[in-house]
């Protein structure tokens, strides 16, 4: 490819990425419900010549966290209405996410990149100045929007796929592109990791748009992220009339005691801890002992060990209080992520890759202390098999993630993320390295 042809090809990929991102932005799908998104990804990867893993070949159903079969069924029905083929839905077996694999046929390392594809349950703003409103690609699905930029991640993943297909004769080894479902709530990565799709990986790179990085900045991460566990908890007691409380067992009182006990858990001398009860629903009427209580809660820890300690505290407290109040409990783990530690060699390669991308003004160290991200689960799996991994942020100017007016300046930001991934690949799998 001449320099001119290369520039032309890069520009064409950039245009396609922006169009793809807007396509996905219009059709946001929540975790484990990404059927339209997965179908579009699979179609493109197949067309480009990738071998594609779908459904239970891409994720292990046994290790899927926080998947609601009713929501999945509704999402499949909607996807069907919107033209997703019966063949595809049957092939998915009800499981979203996909892995594209490109084998060059030449010996070399296996390099994997991860792109998360799910949206949030947040209604997009009506503000006329919000770009998706101005340019006519706002979310079509009421109450859902890509308020974390995973539409951009998906588009970048397809952009990388296009580049790999075009430049296959300059590469060795194998390239794997992971389109991961259900990152929100840290639910999907464990299922992909358990399927074994990264067990042969030598180099692994994950990324997020925005966060602390502004447009033109790339932040490369050495360490960070809190380990976290998300729980759904229900108590089932015995209903009774208020006049004869001795006949009842109150799930509501047990729930209230749980709030107070978990809220006053001691911390850990080893580092940051968090506990949050975000939702507590209970009771039917003033004069009835409440039979049911449902709670959504989570814990976090600065290290995986500290998070384990918090997790054990929750399990022990719930079990003890259920016994004390004479109610049944069901404590379900619905999300999980560990902490992140990058490998120096991979971090250095990501930094060098970023420094060479047009439009990048600065490359900085960026270590997120307080958030959580389930890419860490895949990274831990890669490292446990001797692979090397890193994580980076490619910037955009935004008012905050998970907010109704989140935006990403796709024309400028996406080519930067794409550039870091493709430059990284030139370094790990380029012929002549
Ligand atoms: Zn996100």
């Amino acid at each position: 490819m001449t320099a001119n042809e290369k520039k032309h090809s890069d520009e064409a990929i950039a245009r396609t990425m922006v169009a793809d991102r807007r396509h996905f932005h219009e059709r946001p799908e929540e975790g484990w419900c990404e059927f339209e998104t997965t179908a579009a990804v699979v179609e493109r990867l197949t067309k480009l010549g990738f071998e594609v893993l779908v459904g239970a070949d891409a994720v292990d159903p046994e290790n899927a966290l926080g998947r609601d079969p009713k929501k999945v069924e509704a999402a499949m029905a909607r996807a069907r209405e919107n033209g997703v083929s019966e063949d595809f839905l049957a092939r998915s077996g009800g499981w979203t996410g996909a892995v594209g694999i490109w084998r060059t046929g030449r010996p070399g390392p296996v390099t994997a990149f991860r792109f998360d594809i799910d949206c949030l349950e947040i209604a997009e703003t009506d503000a006329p100045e919000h770009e998706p409103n101005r340019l006519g690609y706002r979310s079509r699905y009421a109450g859902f929007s890509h308020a974390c930029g995973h539409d951009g991640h998906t588009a970048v993943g397809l952009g990388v796929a296009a580049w790999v297909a075009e430049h296959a004769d300059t590469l060795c080894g194998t390239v794997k592109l992971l389109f991961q479902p259900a990152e929100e709530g840290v639910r999907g990565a464990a299922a992909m990791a358990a399927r074994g799709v990264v067990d042969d990986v030598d180099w692994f790179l994950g990324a997020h748009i925005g966060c602390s990085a502004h447009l033109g900045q790339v932040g490369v991460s050495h360490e960070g992220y809190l380990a976290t566990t998300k729980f759904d908890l229900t108590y089932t007691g015995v209903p009774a009339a208020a006049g004869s409380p001795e006949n009842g067992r109150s799930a509501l009182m047990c729930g209230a005691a749980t709030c107070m006990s978990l809220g006053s858990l001691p911390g850990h001398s080893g580092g940051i801890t968090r506990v949050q009860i975000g939702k507590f629903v209970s009771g039917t009427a003033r004069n009835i002992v409440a039979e049911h209580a449902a709670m959504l809660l989570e814990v976090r820890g600065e290290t995986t060990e500290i998070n384990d300690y918090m997790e054990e505290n929750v399990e022990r407290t719930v079990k003890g209080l259920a016994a004390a109040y004479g109610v049944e409990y069901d404590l379900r783990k619905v999300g999980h992520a560990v902490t992140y530690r990058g490998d120096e060699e991979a971090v250095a390669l990501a930094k060098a890759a970023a420094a060479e991308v047009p439009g990048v003004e600065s490359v900085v160290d960026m270590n997120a202390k307080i958030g959580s991200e389930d890419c860490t689960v895949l990274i831990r799996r890669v490292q446990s098999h001797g692979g090397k991994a890193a994580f980076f942020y490619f910037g955009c100017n935004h008012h905050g993630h998970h907010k109704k007016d989140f935006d990403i300046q796709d024309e400028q930001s996406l080519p930067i993320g794409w550039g870091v991934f493709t430059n990284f690949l030139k370094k790990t799998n380029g012929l002549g390295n």
Side-chain angles (χ1 to χ4, degrees), residues 116 148 150 153 183-184 208 401-402:
D116 43 359
C148 199
H150 301 183
H153 299 170
E183 191 283 327
E184 300 294 351
H208 207 297
H401 287 257
H402 297 203

Side-chain angles (χ1 to χ4, degrees), residues 14 16-26 116 118 120 124-125 129-135 137 145-157 184 207-217 359 393-418:
T16 305
M17 276 195 292
V18 169
D20 285 343
R21 182 258 162 169
R22 294 178 185 184
H23 175 93
F24 294 126
H25 190 87
E26 266 191 281
D116 43 359
D118 56 328
L120 283 154
E124 191 161 20
T125 181
E129 67 274 17
H130 181 58
E131 195 188 277
N133 292 331
R134 211 154 34 82
L135 300 183
Y137 63 89
S145 65
H146 270 293
C148 199
H150 301 183
D151 49 348
H153 299 170
T154 314
V156 167
E184 300 294 351
H208 207 297
I209 195 166
C211 302
S212 303
H214 60 71
L215 189 61
Q217 196 176 42
Y393 304 91
F394 55 108
C396 66
N397 300 329
H398 60 85
H399 321 285
H401 287 257
H402 297 203
K403 291 200 172 148
K404 62 183 179 179
D405 58 351
F406 181 75
D407 200 18
I408 62 168
Q409 303 90 46
D410 53 15
E411 288 169 341
Q412 291 101 53
S413 62
L414 300 187
I416 291 179
W418 173 82

Side-chain angles (χ1 to χ4, degrees), residues 191-223:
M192 259 189 171
R195 181 39 72 229
V197 295
V198 295
D199 289 357
D200 59 348
V201 166
D202 301 295
W203 297 101
F204 181 95
L205 192 58
H208 207 297
I209 195 166
C211 302
S212 303
H214 60 71
L215 189 61
Q217 196 176 42
V218 172
V220 183
S221 200
H222 296 258
E223 59 177 354

Side-chain angles (χ1 to χ4, degrees), residues 64 67 131 138 152 172 177 187 294 309 325 334 342 390 403 418:
R67 177 177 177 271
E131 195 188 277
R138 66 171 282 115
C172 64
L177 305 177
R187 297 173 288 156
Y309 160 84
Y325 283 82
V334 294
K403 291 200 172 148
W418 173 82

